[in-house]
Amino acid sequence: EVQLVESGGGLVQPGGSLRLSCAASGFTFSGMTMTWVRQAPGKGLEWVSGINSGGGSTTYADSVKGRYTISRDNAKNTLYLQMNSLKPEDTAVYSCATDFNWGTTWGQGTRVVVSS
């Protein structure tokens, strides 16, 4: 069974940092491009960042560029998102995802709240 399980969310003050993790199982993680997306309260889904299978190529939404870093450890089947200089507008449920031939698989998400 394909599974993506996120962790690491929580409450953080503006300017703070969090590191999200996404544990993958049930498929060949090292062969898949992975992405992070987020959904803020009352808003639609927003793509945040992507990383290719080997980890050598990364992309970011303009809203997080320079503050977030995506990475992966293929030996541990785990995807990461290091989030620095967090802003209240970063408050959202963050999910990892990957695309298969039959469609996109999502994790359940982890909630990040940036507030003083």
Side-chain angles (χ1 to χ4, degrees), residues 86-111:
L86 283 162
K87 306 174 182 180
E89 52 263 43
D90 295 318
T91 294
V93 174
Y94 286 72
S95 301
C96 58
T98 192
D99 292 327
F100 294 95
N101 292 337
W102 59 85
T104 300
T105 292
W106 312 84
Q108 85 290 347
T110 185
R111 186 175 303 275

Side-chain angles (χ1 to χ4, degrees), residues 50-59 70-72 74:
I51 187 168
N52 71 341
S53 58
S57 178
T58 58
T59 51
I70 190 172
S71 64
R72 65 193 297 161
N74 286 343

